[in-house]
Amino acid sequence: MQTKERLIRTEYSEIMQKSYIDYAMSVIIARALPDVRDGLKPVQRRTLYDMYELGIRYDRPYRKCARIVGDTMGKYHPHGDSSIYEALVVMAQDFKKGLPLVDGHGNFGSIEGDGAAAMRYTEARLARITQEAYLSDLDKNVVDFAPNFDETEKEPQVLPVKVPNLLINGTEGIAVGMAASIPPHNFCEVIDGVVAYLKNPQITTAQLMKYIKGPDFPTGGIVTNKEELLSIYETGMGKIKIRGSVEVEKGKGGKENLVITEIPYTMIGAGIGKFLNDVYNLVETKKTNDIADISNQSSKEGIRIVLELRRGADVENLCNLLYKKTKLEDTFGVNMLAVAQGKPETMGLVTIIRHHAQFQYEISTRKYKTLLEKELEKKEIQEGLIQACDVIDLIIEILRGSKNIKQARKCLTDGDTTGIQFRTKKSEKQAAALRFTERQATAILEMRLYKLIGLELEALIKEHDETLKKIAKYEDLLSNHASMTKLIIKELLAFKKAYGRARRTKIDQVEQAVYVEKEIEEKDVVFLMDRFGYAKTIDVSVYERNKEAADSENKVVLQCKNTDKICIFTNQGQLHMMKVQSLPYGKFRDKGQPIDNVSNYDSSKEDCVYLDALSNICKYRLLFGTKTGMLKVVEGAEFDVSKRTTAAAKLSEGDEVLFIRPVTGNETETIVMQSQNGMFLRIPSSQIPEKKKSALGVRGIRLSAGDMLTHIYLLSDSGGDAFADYDGDPVALNRLRIGNRDTKGVKR
């Protein structure tokens, strides 16, 4: 029998919307963001729990990371092995985490960006703090467990973390439409903050910050905007400015060295190499002449980047330059976002600690309820055994007279003597009065004879007294909020004493770095650019000595000031500007630098139509001509702007700038336009109106369909013939009849 197909008609957009929302929530809740209670992302939580299950404890041998990753992926985290290994590596890196949770053995990467070795080469085990403060009470029913992805295992929905890990280690995670970025904090300060909150739940952020001064990055450094921290911790959002620590040391020959001993947290990894490159560029582009050499002498002992300075260097000004132009001063964007009660929430400092405190009360309550139940069971059994010792002869008589264990058990629990043979009626009467519980009866039946020794009986009574004390203690903790608070504080202070360390990052209010550029001594230079786009500047006297070679070997030869800017006009209607100072200056035979590298000009995507110094352009009026025959004249001063790139001409779709030259507007100055189909039109330049640079211009020649301009010429009254080539034949341009703008011209 065939099953009938059932078609469901629905709106496609609704299915897409629902599917995307499901995907987004999955990424937010189940992958990218940490839980506010334990401060861990799912992959971190699952990895630590798997290590706990595998028995890879801090006091046991290391195990291969490949084993940990494979087991985690197979049991709990059905995603890529690389994401699990990366999470494991980060938890072991002391330069990324304020409190490493994994004890790594082998190459786990470096602060300079070196990656960890493959998982088959590295080993790991749980750190001691992780075992004691993150996983210790999992066997006491303190958290809920849920089925794993294929329902073959159980995994904890949250770890019973006893310290506020979200603040201690911080986190970074990008979800869909949101991102978490929480800086790490000092372990001791955070513990003190939690203790202060437990003593006074009405504490304000300002009061809490007496204990938690601010972020404490593993890389040290200096937080420079102390006054903004209160706002950041109240709202959970803001920007923290951090600087590296710089020291001045005496060098050789009376010179000084600038030594960077701590870097901003954001510079970890490739940022160090980029910093060295940025400093090199500052020297190359003559931004500073104070640096003679730079070397990275960092090692396992710490960061040490040495800048050897020239004699008489202005150290303070150089430091400010590094703060302004490199990542030695950077910004850490804070967004204290985490999953709270099943949904993402941006929280302030007090809110995060409140969630942590509530979680501590919850897991402590569940822990001591579990312990109380166990102690009550022990008490019940102990009382049964003590009572049994008092009537041990009767119990032996019951056992000897019973036909099976079921009959004996029934007598012990219910006083049922049916079928049991007793020596005397008195014994039978005493047996009928017995009322042991099921648990007590089981313990009596399993009791060994050596328990009847006097010392063993004394030990049992002593153990019973201890059990009663524990029951009283647990009942007090569960019924008295103050007692529970006192116990939580005691545990926190014990962790602080065992694992606390001194603060690394300084918190200060520092004025913004102000770099004063040294005034450049203005002088004339000659700008040279060869046909490959390599440019440099040389002294005028050097040019004079090599004039013939310079003119023949270079596409552009231009005299300008060293304080000037070079303007590059492109066929796309863009103007790119670069400082003359940014170009290499020196010997005539030096290669120079591509203009692409010192400006926004990209020679692979656009062509240079006109190039000149800004000081010259400001004196001119520039004539613009495009392939579609649009013309305009623009005052050169309009191009004196601060932007490195600006629009120099407005173009219609598919059009390009073909021609840019300075014009005088004299009556004798004429423009000749040559089209692809051999049309020529000569008009006076005075017919072209002056427009703004953002204007489209006016039509210079009326072109037929499919035709376009290939050349535009500017003729003056200097005398002599000017020729153009068309199909191999010369055309005398100055002999063409002068016509009017916006006409078709003549055919050649």
Side-chain angles (χ1 to χ4, degrees), residues 252-292:
K252 297 178 181 178
K255 298 177 184 178
E256 291 180 318
N257 292 340
L258 210 60
V259 182
I260 298 162
T261 56
E262 294 175 356
I263 60 171
Y265 187 65
T266 51
M267 201 193 282
I268 290 174
I272 295 178
K274 187 177 185 307
F275 170 74
L276 298 172
N277 203 37
D278 289 343
V279 174
Y280 174 77
N281 287 336
L282 290 176
V283 176
E284 280 291 297
T285 56
K286 304 293 191 296
K287 290 284 185 184
T288 178
N289 295 315
D290 292 337
I291 301 174

Short mmCIF file of all heavy atoms in Angstrom, two decimals, residues 252-292:
data_model
loop_
_atom_site.label_atom_id
_atom_site.label_comp_id
_atom_site.label_asym_id
_atom_site.label_seq_id
_atom_site.Cartn_x
_atom_site.Cartn_y
_atom_site.Cartn_z
N LYS A 252 75.31 52.23 24.75
CA LYS A 252 76.74 52.42 24.53
C LYS A 252 77.03 53.85 24.10
O LYS A 252 76.22 54.48 23.42
CB LYS A 252 77.24 51.45 23.46
CG LYS A 252 77.11 49.98 23.85
CD LYS A 252 77.57 49.08 22.72
CE LYS A 252 77.40 47.61 23.09
NZ LYS A 252 77.81 46.71 21.98
N GLY A 253 78.20 54.34 24.50
CA GLY A 253 78.66 55.66 24.05
C GLY A 253 77.78 56.81 24.50
O GLY A 253 77.66 57.79 23.77
N GLY A 254 77.15 56.68 25.66
CA GLY A 254 76.33 57.76 26.17
C GLY A 254 74.96 57.86 25.52
O GLY A 254 74.19 58.76 25.82
N LYS A 255 74.64 56.93 24.63
CA LYS A 255 73.32 56.92 24.00
C LYS A 255 72.30 56.25 24.92
O LYS A 255 72.66 55.62 25.91
CB LYS A 255 73.38 56.18 22.66
CG LYS A 255 74.31 56.81 21.64
CD LYS A 255 74.36 55.97 20.37
CE LYS A 255 75.35 56.54 19.38
NZ LYS A 255 75.46 55.71 18.16
N GLU A 256 71.03 56.40 24.56
CA GLU A 256 69.97 55.80 25.36
C GLU A 256 69.21 54.75 24.55
O GLU A 256 69.11 54.86 23.32
CB GLU A 256 69.00 56.87 25.86
CG GLU A 256 69.60 57.80 26.90
CD GLU A 256 68.62 58.84 27.38
OE1 GLU A 256 67.89 59.40 26.53
OE2 GLU A 256 68.59 59.13 28.59
N ASN A 257 68.68 53.76 25.25
CA ASN A 257 67.84 52.75 24.63
C ASN A 257 66.43 52.84 25.20
O ASN A 257 66.25 53.04 26.41
CB ASN A 257 68.38 51.34 24.90
CG ASN A 257 69.69 51.08 24.18
OD1 ASN A 257 70.02 51.78 23.22
ND2 ASN A 257 70.43 50.10 24.64
N LEU A 258 65.46 52.70 24.33
CA LEU A 258 64.06 52.66 24.75
C LEU A 258 63.67 51.18 24.77
O LEU A 258 63.71 50.51 23.74
CB LEU A 258 63.20 53.42 23.74
CG LEU A 258 61.93 54.11 24.27
CD1 LEU A 258 62.29 55.12 25.33
CD2 LEU A 258 61.20 54.79 23.12
N VAL A 259 63.32 50.66 25.95
CA VAL A 259 63.04 49.23 26.10
C VAL A 259 61.57 49.03 26.45
O VAL A 259 61.08 49.56 27.45
CB VAL A 259 63.94 48.60 27.19
CG1 VAL A 259 63.65 47.10 27.29
CG2 VAL A 259 65.40 48.84 26.87
N ILE A 260 60.87 48.28 25.61
CA ILE A 260 59.46 47.95 25.87
C ILE A 260 59.42 46.62 26.61
O ILE A 260 59.81 45.58 26.06
CB ILE A 260 58.67 47.87 24.55
CG1 ILE A 260 58.70 49.24 23.86
CG2 ILE A 260 57.23 47.43 24.79
CD1 ILE A 260 58.35 49.20 22.40
N THR A 261 58.98 46.64 27.87
CA THR A 261 58.99 45.45 28.72
C THR A 261 57.61 44.80 28.84
O THR A 261 57.51 43.65 29.24
CB THR A 261 59.50 45.81 30.12
OG1 THR A 261 58.69 46.87 30.66
CG2 THR A 261 60.95 46.27 30.06
N GLU A 262 56.57 45.55 28.54
CA GLU A 262 55.21 45.01 28.58
C GLU A 262 54.45 45.56 27.38
O GLU A 262 54.63 46.72 27.00
CB GLU A 262 54.49 45.40 29.88
CG GLU A 262 55.10 44.79 31.13
CD GLU A 262 54.44 45.29 32.40
OE1 GLU A 262 53.57 46.19 32.30
OE2 GLU A 262 54.78 44.80 33.48
N ILE A 263 53.61 44.74 26.80
CA ILE A 263 52.86 45.15 25.61
C ILE A 263 51.37 45.20 25.91
O ILE A 263 50.91 44.54 26.85
CB ILE A 263 53.12 44.19 24.43
CG1 ILE A 263 52.71 42.75 24.79
CG2 ILE A 263 54.57 44.25 23.99
CD1 ILE A 263 52.73 41.78 23.64
N PRO A 264 50.59 45.95 25.14
CA PRO A 264 49.13 45.90 25.30
C PRO A 264 48.62 44.49 25.01
O PRO A 264 49.17 43.78 24.17
CB PRO A 264 48.63 46.90 24.25
CG PRO A 264 49.78 47.79 23.96
CD PRO A 264 51.00 46.95 24.14
N TYR A 265 47.56 44.10 25.70
CA TYR A 265 46.96 42.77 25.55
C TYR A 265 46.55 42.51 24.10
O TYR A 265 46.62 41.38 23.62
CB TYR A 265 45.74 42.69 26.47
CG TYR A 265 45.09 41.33 26.56
CD1 TYR A 265 45.77 40.24 27.09
CD2 TYR A 265 43.78 41.15 26.13
CE1 TYR A 265 45.16 38.99 27.19
CE2 TYR A 265 43.16 39.91 26.23
CZ TYR A 265 43.86 38.84 26.75
OH TYR A 265 43.25 37.61 26.85
N THR A 266 46.15 43.58 23.40
CA THR A 266 45.69 43.44 22.01
C THR A 266 46.84 43.17 21.04
O THR A 266 46.61 42.88 19.88
CB THR A 266 44.95 44.70 21.57
OG1 THR A 266 45.77 45.85 21.86
CG2 THR A 266 43.63 44.85 22.31
N MET A 267 48.09 43.31 21.51
CA MET A 267 49.24 43.12 20.63
C MET A 267 49.72 41.67 20.60
O MET A 267 50.63 41.33 19.85
CB MET A 267 50.40 44.03 21.05
CG MET A 267 51.42 44.29 19.95
SD MET A 267 52.96 45.04 20.52
CE MET A 267 52.47 46.73 20.72
N ILE A 268 49.09 40.82 21.40
CA ILE A 268 49.50 39.41 21.45
C ILE A 268 49.42 38.80 20.05
O ILE A 268 48.48 39.03 19.31
CB ILE A 268 48.58 38.61 22.40
CG1 ILE A 268 48.83 39.02 23.85
CG2 ILE A 268 48.82 37.11 22.26
CD1 ILE A 268 47.87 38.39 24.83
N GLY A 269 50.44 38.03 19.71
CA GLY A 269 50.42 37.33 18.42
C GLY A 269 51.09 38.16 17.33
O GLY A 269 52.17 38.73 17.51
N ALA A 270 50.41 38.25 16.19
CA ALA A 270 50.98 38.94 15.02
C ALA A 270 51.18 40.41 15.28
O ALA A 270 51.89 41.08 14.54
CB ALA A 270 50.07 38.74 13.81
N GLY A 271 50.53 40.95 16.34
CA GLY A 271 50.65 42.37 16.64
C GLY A 271 52.07 42.80 16.95
O GLY A 271 52.45 43.94 16.69
N ILE A 272 52.89 41.90 17.50
CA ILE A 272 54.28 42.26 17.83
C ILE A 272 55.07 42.46 16.54
O ILE A 272 55.81 43.44 16.39
CB ILE A 272 54.92 41.17 18.71
CG1 ILE A 272 54.21 41.13 20.08
CG2 ILE A 272 56.41 41.44 18.90
CD1 ILE A 272 54.73 40.07 21.01
N GLY A 273 54.90 41.55 15.59
CA GLY A 273 55.58 41.70 14.30
C GLY A 273 55.13 42.95 13.58
O GLY A 273 55.93 43.65 12.95
N LYS A 274 53.83 43.25 13.65
CA LYS A 274 53.30 44.46 13.01
C LYS A 274 53.87 45.70 13.67
O LYS A 274 54.17 46.69 13.00
CB LYS A 274 51.77 44.48 13.09
CG LYS A 274 51.15 45.63 12.29
CD LYS A 274 49.64 45.59 12.32
CE LYS A 274 49.04 46.66 11.42
NZ LYS A 274 49.55 48.01 11.67
N PHE A 275 54.03 45.67 14.99
CA PHE A 275 54.61 46.82 15.70
C PHE A 275 56.04 47.07 15.22
O PHE A 275 56.42 48.22 14.94
CB PHE A 275 54.60 46.55 17.21
CG PHE A 275 55.39 47.55 18.00
CD1 PHE A 275 54.91 48.84 18.21
CD2 PHE A 275 56.63 47.22 18.53
CE1 PHE A 275 55.64 49.76 18.93
CE2 PHE A 275 57.37 48.13 19.25
CZ PHE A 275 56.88 49.42 19.45
N LEU A 276 56.83 46.02 15.12
CA LEU A 276 58.21 46.18 14.64
C LEU A 276 58.22 46.75 13.22
O LEU A 276 59.04 47.61 12.89
CB LEU A 276 58.93 44.83 14.66
CG LEU A 276 59.10 44.16 16.05
CD1 LEU A 276 59.65 42.76 15.88
CD2 LEU A 276 59.99 45.00 16.93
N ASN A 277 57.29 46.30 12.39
CA ASN A 277 57.19 46.78 11.02
C ASN A 277 56.78 48.25 10.98
O ASN A 277 57.28 49.04 10.18
CB ASN A 277 56.18 45.93 10.26
CG ASN A 277 56.40 45.97 8.76
OD1 ASN A 277 57.54 46.00 8.31
ND2 ASN A 277 55.34 45.98 7.99
N ASP A 278 55.83 48.62 11.87
CA ASP A 278 55.38 50.02 11.93
C ASP A 278 56.50 50.95 12.35
O ASP A 278 56.63 52.06 11.83
CB ASP A 278 54.20 50.15 12.91
CG ASP A 278 52.93 49.52 12.37
OD1 ASP A 278 52.87 49.27 11.15
OD2 ASP A 278 52.00 49.27 13.17
N VAL A 279 57.31 50.50 13.32
CA VAL A 279 58.46 51.32 13.75
C VAL A 279 59.45 51.48 12.60
O VAL A 279 59.97 52.57 12.36
CB VAL A 279 59.14 50.69 14.99
CG1 VAL A 279 60.41 51.47 15.35
CG2 VAL A 279 58.18 50.68 16.17
N TYR A 280 59.67 50.39 11.87
CA TYR A 280 60.58 50.44 10.72
C TYR A 280 60.06 51.44 9.68
O TYR A 280 60.83 52.22 9.12
CB TYR A 280 60.69 49.04 10.11
CG TYR A 280 61.48 48.98 8.82
CD1 TYR A 280 62.87 49.04 8.82
CD2 TYR A 280 60.82 48.89 7.59
CE1 TYR A 280 63.59 49.00 7.64
CE2 TYR A 280 61.53 48.84 6.40
CZ TYR A 280 62.91 48.90 6.43
OH TYR A 280 63.62 48.87 5.26
N ASN A 281 58.75 51.44 9.44
CA ASN A 281 58.16 52.37 8.47
C ASN A 281 58.28 53.82 8.93
O ASN A 281 58.44 54.72 8.11
CB ASN A 281 56.68 52.03 8.23
CG ASN A 281 56.52 50.77 7.41
OD1 ASN A 281 57.42 50.39 6.66
ND2 ASN A 281 55.39 50.09 7.55
N LEU A 282 58.18 54.06 10.24
CA LEU A 282 58.35 55.42 10.77
C LEU A 282 59.75 55.95 10.46
O LEU A 282 59.92 57.13 10.14
CB LEU A 282 58.11 55.44 12.28
CG LEU A 282 56.67 55.23 12.76
CD1 LEU A 282 56.62 55.18 14.27
CD2 LEU A 282 55.76 56.35 12.25
N VAL A 283 60.72 55.04 10.54
CA VAL A 283 62.11 55.44 10.23
C VAL A 283 62.27 55.64 8.73
O VAL A 283 62.87 56.61 8.27
CB VAL A 283 63.10 54.37 10.75
CG1 VAL A 283 64.52 54.74 10.34
CG2 VAL A 283 62.99 54.25 12.27
N GLU A 284 61.70 54.71 7.93
CA GLU A 284 61.82 54.77 6.48
C GLU A 284 61.18 56.03 5.90
O GLU A 284 61.70 56.63 4.96
CB GLU A 284 61.17 53.54 5.84
CG GLU A 284 62.04 52.30 5.88
CD GLU A 284 63.24 52.41 4.96
OE1 GLU A 284 63.04 52.53 3.74
OE2 GLU A 284 64.37 52.40 5.47
N THR A 285 60.03 56.41 6.46
CA THR A 285 59.30 57.57 5.93
C THR A 285 59.73 58.87 6.60
O THR A 285 59.06 59.89 6.45
CB THR A 285 57.79 57.38 6.11
OG1 THR A 285 57.50 57.13 7.50
CG2 THR A 285 57.29 56.20 5.29
N LYS A 286 60.81 58.82 7.36
CA LYS A 286 61.39 60.01 7.99
C LYS A 286 60.45 60.67 9.01
O LYS A 286 60.57 61.85 9.29
CB LYS A 286 61.76 61.06 6.92
CG LYS A 286 62.70 60.55 5.83
CD LYS A 286 64.08 60.22 6.38
CE LYS A 286 65.08 59.97 5.28
NZ LYS A 286 64.78 58.81 4.44
N LYS A 287 59.51 59.87 9.57
CA LYS A 287 58.66 60.41 10.63
C LYS A 287 59.50 60.70 11.87
O LYS A 287 59.18 61.56 12.67
CB LYS A 287 57.55 59.41 10.99
CG LYS A 287 56.48 59.24 9.93
CD LYS A 287 55.54 60.41 9.91
CE LYS A 287 54.40 60.16 8.92
NZ LYS A 287 53.52 61.33 8.80
N THR A 288 60.56 59.90 12.04
CA THR A 288 61.48 60.12 13.15
C THR A 288 62.89 59.78 12.70
O THR A 288 63.10 58.86 11.90
CB THR A 288 61.10 59.27 14.37
OG1 THR A 288 62.06 59.49 15.41
CG2 THR A 288 61.06 57.79 14.05
N ASN A 289 63.83 60.54 13.22
CA ASN A 289 65.24 60.26 12.96
C ASN A 289 65.96 59.85 14.23
O ASN A 289 67.19 59.78 14.28
CB ASN A 289 65.93 61.49 12.36
CG ASN A 289 65.37 61.85 10.99
OD1 ASN A 289 65.17 60.98 10.15
ND2 ASN A 289 65.08 63.13 10.77
N ASP A 290 65.16 59.60 15.29
CA ASP A 290 65.75 59.32 16.60
C ASP A 290 66.11 57.85 16.80
O ASP A 290 66.82 57.51 17.74
CB ASP A 290 64.78 59.75 17.72
CG ASP A 290 64.63 61.27 17.79
OD1 ASP A 290 65.55 61.96 17.32
OD2 ASP A 290 63.59 61.74 18.30
N ILE A 291 65.59 56.96 15.94
CA ILE A 291 65.82 55.52 16.12
C ILE A 291 66.94 55.05 15.21
O ILE A 291 66.88 55.22 13.99
CB ILE A 291 64.53 54.72 15.84
CG1 ILE A 291 63.40 55.17 16.77
CG2 ILE A 291 64.78 53.22 15.99
CD1 ILE A 291 62.06 54.54 16.48
N ALA A 292 67.98 54.46 15.82
CA ALA A 292 69.12 53.95 15.04
C ALA A 292 68.93 52.48 14.68
O ALA A 292 69.31 52.04 13.60
CB ALA A 292 70.42 54.13 15.83
#
